Amino acid sequence: LDPSELKKRLNKAKKAKKIAEQEKAVKCQENKKKEMHNKNKRKGDDDCESQVKEELVPEKLARTETPLDEASKFLEPLLLLANNSITTHLLAFEVYLRKGKVLLMLRSIKKAISLDPTNTKLHSCLV
């Protein structure tokens, strides 16, 4: 063989080897991504189950670290769904009083007065 043909064949072999290595690297990366995705998916399922189990522990629910924040989270949908109940607004007043939110206290008292101005519990909130 001529030295030029030998050189061409060697270059072609190098290129083919390089392409094969690149394809192999791409396949490895795809496999790693699939494995990571499967691991994350499994962890996500486990996390959901563990969160449900943690939420159902009565002692933990009874003794929260931030009771006013938990009460606020509970109060928001209550104000939306039971807006025509005076007890909802009286409870909102209590929560806002303990949090020190004056404007929200006034808003809950104003709404409670519009619902039932003769309520005795409402009178105690006003005093």
Side-chain angles (χ1 to χ4, degrees):
L1 294 172
D2 281 340
S4 62
E5 285 183 27
L6 184 61
K7 191 174 181 181
K8 286 180 184 178
R9 287 186 182 179
L10 288 175
N11 284 339
K12 284 183 181 180
K14 285 181 183 179
K15 285 183 182 180
K17 188 176 179 183
K18 203 176 207 182
I19 290 173
E21 288 176 0
Q22 287 177 349
E23 289 176 355
K24 189 176 179 182
V26 168
K27 286 182 181 179
C28 282
Q29 287 178 350
E30 289 176 0
N31 287 338
K32 287 180 182 179
K33 286 181 182 179
K34 286 181 183 178
E35 288 176 12
M36 291 298 290
H37 178 69
N38 290 337
K39 285 181 183 178
N40 289 340
K41 194 172 184 181
R42 286 186 214 128
K43 285 182 182 178
D45 293 341
D46 294 340
D47 290 342
C48 291
E49 291 175 5
S50 64
Q51 287 176 354
V52 170
K53 289 178 183 177
E54 288 177 6
E55 290 177 4
L56 298 178
V57 178
E59 291 82 20
K60 188 174 181 180
L61 289 173
R63 294 190 178 119
T64 63
E65 295 174 4
T66 56
L68 287 177
D69 292 335
E70 294 295 322
S72 295
K73 288 178 188 176
F74 181 74
L75 186 63
E76 289 174 10
L78 190 63
L79 286 170
L80 291 174
L81 298 173
N83 197 17
N84 292 330
S85 174
I86 191 165
T87 55
T88 301
H89 298 288
L90 293 175
L91 292 173
F93 173 79
E94 289 293 327
V95 171
Y96 296 141
L97 175 69
R98 293 178 185 184
K99 287 184 104 175
K101 307 246 178 183
V102 179
L103 292 176
L104 293 173
M105 287 172 19
L106 292 174
R107 183 180 74 179
S108 59
I109 287 178
K110 186 176 177 183
K111 182 67 177 176
I113 288 173
S114 69
L115 290 174
D116 185 13
T118 61
N119 193 316
T120 56
K121 291 181 183 177
L122 177 62
H123 179 69
S124 66
C125 291
L126 292 173
V127 174

